[in-house]
């Protein structure tokens, strides 16, 4: 009798669908781990699962197959994204990620963004391999945003003279041309105020219709700026960074893009490590590149524990006039304890650092 009852109990447990007994919201969070397309496919499992995907809190769309890398038909992709957004049950979405390998009408992308931002999304990522212009005002008005990634081949982003995002912690911009929308008589100085931003990466971005760009980031710890494209003189780069808690700084690019390095306000910042990689182009002489680096180093004001400078391949040796002690940052002559050189043909250190 005991064995019969035990067998019956075991069969009941074996036939039980544990996941189906979970609340809809919990199943939705589990399905959020999957790519959105895979989450939707669970609707064919049973009647119980037909609508559970509508409770997902994370959305990831891409117009290529994730494993085979085959491109998805554009019309099918558009229908899929619109269908998912229309049928979602959740009023709040945690994250939205969009990867586009083809060129799309920006009106579609802007409609998707408006839908998602109205749901209080906190993490937003758009990656486009083609040129894409998106509406910036809906993003700039979304104060719940904590993570923002905009990576494009070339994208246009129109902003007012003052931008404030109260919750933004992580920011990455790549391939973006920021256009400052100001009346002709108003100041053309752009201020980006992100009071809780901790990490910022800016790659091949430029600023149009501005005279200066100020980044106010009192809690910023990691800053990376990279310029590897040649820009028109009408374009500017960031000229002032107010980051008293900066720990890591990385600057890669052409010296002429940072118009006046004396405006890079880092004097009150103690930086654990700094990495500088100046790019040398036909538009610049070797002397200008070296002097630019020296000016940039002066702004660090002796407040760097570890400094790494990687010279371009073209700069194998320095002329004697470039070794003028007046051009050498004071930190080199006062605080420097260790120097390492690699692949340097000619360098007379005795005339620059006699006490090393």
């Amino acid at each position: 009798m005991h064995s019969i009852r035990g067998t019956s109990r075991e069969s009941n447990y074996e036939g039980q669908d544990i996941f189906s007994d979970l609340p809809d919201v919990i199943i939705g969070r589990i399905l959020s781990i999957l790519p959105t397309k895979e989450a939707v496919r669970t609707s064919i499992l049973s009647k119980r699962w037909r609508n559970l995907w509508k409770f997902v809190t994370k959305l990831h769309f891409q117009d290529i197959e994730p494993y085979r890398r085959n491109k998805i038909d554009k019309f099918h992709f558009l229908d899929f994204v619109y269908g998912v957004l229309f049928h979602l049950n959740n009023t709040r979405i945690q994250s939205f990620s969009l990867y586009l390998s083809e060129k799309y009408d920006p009106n579609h992308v802007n409609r998707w963004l408006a839908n998602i931002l109205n749901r209080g999304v906190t993490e937003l990522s758009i990656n486009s391999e083609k040129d894409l212009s998106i509406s910036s005002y809906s993003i700039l008005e979304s104060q719940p945003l904590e993570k923002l990634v905009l990576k494009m081949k070339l994208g246009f982003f129109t902003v007012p003279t003052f931008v404030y995002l109260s919750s933004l912690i992580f920011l990455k911009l790549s391939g973006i041309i920021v256009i400052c929308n100001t009346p002709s008589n108003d100041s053309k100085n752009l201020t980006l105020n992100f009071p809780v931003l901790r990490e910022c990466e800016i790659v091949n971005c430029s600023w149009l219709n501005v005279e200066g760009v100020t980044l106010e980031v009192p809690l910023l710890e990691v800053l990376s700026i990279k310029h590897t494209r040649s820009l028109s003189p009408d374009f500017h780069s960031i000229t002032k960074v107010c980051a008293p808690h900066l720990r890591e700084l990385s600057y890669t690019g052409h010296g002429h893009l940072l118009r006046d390095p004396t405006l890079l306000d880092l004097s009150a910042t103690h930086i654990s490590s700094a990495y500088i990689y100046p790019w040398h182009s036909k538009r610049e002489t070797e002397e200008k590149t070296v002097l630019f680096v020296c000016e940039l180093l002066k702004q660090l004001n002796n407040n760097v524990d570890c400094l790494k400078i990687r010279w371009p391949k073209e700069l194998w040796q320095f002329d004697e006039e470039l070794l003028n002690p007046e051009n050498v940052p004071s930190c080199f002559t006062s605080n420097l304890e260790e120097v390492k050189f690699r692949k340097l043909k000619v360098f007379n250190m005795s005339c620059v650092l006699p006490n090393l």
Side-chain angles (χ1 to χ4, degrees):
M1 293 294 293
H2 292 290
S3 60
I4 295 176
R5 284 196 295 267
T7 302
S8 176
R9 187 181 298 112
E10 290 174 2
S11 63
N12 289 337
Y13 281 120
E14 289 175 358
Q16 187 176 11
D17 184 355
I18 299 176
F19 282 102
S20 294
D21 288 340
L22 294 173
D24 295 351
V25 175
I26 299 300
I27 296 178
R29 291 181 180 178
I30 296 174
L31 293 179
S32 298
I33 302 174
L34 301 174
T36 302
K37 190 172 184 179
E38 300 299 324
V40 174
R41 284 176 175 173
T42 61
S43 61
I44 66 174
L45 294 177
S46 66
K47 291 183 179 180
R48 169 75 176 100
W49 285 78
R50 182 173 299 171
N51 296 310
L52 292 179
W53 67 268
K54 299 178 183 179
F55 292 90
V56 297
T57 58
K58 298 180 180 180
L59 297 173
H60 174 69
F61 299 103
Q62 59 184 55
D63 62 354
I64 57 175
E65 295 290 346
Y67 305 110
R68 294 177 294 178
R69 305 296 293 177
N70 294 331
K71 293 184 178 181
I72 301 173
D73 180 78
K74 291 179 66 172
F75 293 102
H76 290 167
F77 178 73
L78 291 172
D79 288 342
F80 177 70
V81 177
Y82 277 114
V84 170
L85 295 179
F86 179 78
H87 289 98
L88 280 178
N89 285 339
N90 280 328
T91 57
R92 297 189 66 83
I93 296 296
Q94 180 181 348
S95 69
F96 177 81
S97 175
L98 180 66
Y99 178 88
L100 303 175
S101 63
E102 294 291 328
K103 188 175 182 62
Y104 291 84
D105 185 335
N107 290 325
H108 293 301
V109 179
N110 289 326
R111 291 191 190 102
W112 302 339
L113 285 177
N115 184 295
I116 288 300
L117 292 171
N118 286 333
R119 299 174 186 264
V121 65
T122 57
E123 298 181 7
L124 176 62
S125 176
I126 301 177
N127 188 337
S128 176
E129 295 184 3
K130 307 295 183 180
D131 296 353
L132 179 65
S133 297
I134 60 176
S135 175
S136 59
Y137 288 97
S138 57
I139 295 178
L140 299 179
E141 293 176 356
S142 182
Q143 295 304 320
L145 268 181
E146 298 178 2
K147 180 178 180 179
L148 176 60
V149 176
L150 300 177
K151 183 179 180 181
M152 304 173 192
K153 181 180 179 181
L154 182 63
F156 296 90
F157 204 70
T158 303
V159 300
T161 56
F162 182 79
V163 177
Y164 178 81
L165 288 175
S166 59
S167 304
L168 195 64
I169 299 175
F170 178 90
L171 173 65
K172 180 176 181 179
L173 302 177
S174 180
I176 305 296
I177 295 179
V178 181
I179 303 173
C180 191
N181 186 14
T182 61
S184 57
N185 296 329
D186 288 357
S187 170
K188 292 187 177 182
N189 292 311
L190 173 61
T191 300
L192 307 177
N193 189 319
F194 307 134
V196 297
L197 190 69
R198 299 300 179 93
E199 185 173 349
C200 179
E201 182 179 355
I202 299 175
V203 181
N204 290 327
C205 293
S206 53
W207 317 80
L208 184 61
N209 196 31
V210 296
E211 296 177 354
V213 182
T214 299
L215 188 60
E216 295 183 355
V217 280
L219 298 183
L220 187 68
E221 298 178 351
V222 180
L223 173 62
S224 175
I225 300 176
K226 185 176 182 179
H227 288 295
T228 57
R229 295 177 181 173
S230 296
L231 299 177
S232 165
D234 295 332
F235 293 91
H236 294 252
S237 62
I238 286 183
T239 54
K240 188 173 183 180
V241 179
C242 303
H245 292 91
L246 192 66
R247 294 187 297 103
E248 299 179 15
L249 170 66
S250 174
Y251 181 86
T252 303
H254 301 284
H256 70 275
L257 292 178
L258 198 59
R259 300 299 179 85
D260 186 355
T262 61
L263 293 178
L264 187 60
D265 184 10
L266 294 170
S267 58
T269 303
H270 184 89
I271 303 175
S272 300
S273 63
Y275 174 82
I276 300 174
Y277 182 16
W279 281 49
H280 182 68
S281 66
K282 295 180 179 180
R283 297 175 58 184
E284 300 171 297
T285 63
E286 295 181 3
E287 180 179 3
K288 287 184 178 180
T289 300
V290 175
L291 292 178
F292 160 76
V293 173
C294 291
E295 288 296 324
L296 184 59
L297 292 176
K298 290 178 182 178
Q299 304 311 307
L300 300 179
N301 197 31
N302 299 345
N303 288 331
V304 179
D305 294 333
C306 179
L307 173 64
K308 295 182 180 180
I309 304 176
R310 179 184 176 185
W311 293 104
K313 293 181 179 180
E314 294 84 355
L315 296 178
W316 282 91
Q317 63 182 18
F318 301 93
D319 296 329
E320 184 175 352
E321 58 267 22
L322 292 180
L323 296 177
N324 187 332
E326 295 180 357
N327 295 326
V328 179
S330 60
C331 59
F332 275 23
T333 58
S334 60
N335 296 353
L336 192 61
E337 297 180 357
E338 182 178 357
V339 179
K340 294 182 180 181
F341 293 104
R342 296 179 60 188
K343 299 181 179 180
L344 194 62
K345 287 185 176 180
V346 178
F347 199 106
N348 185 3
M349 288 296 296
S350 61
C351 66
V352 181
L353 304 174
N355 299 323
L356 185 66

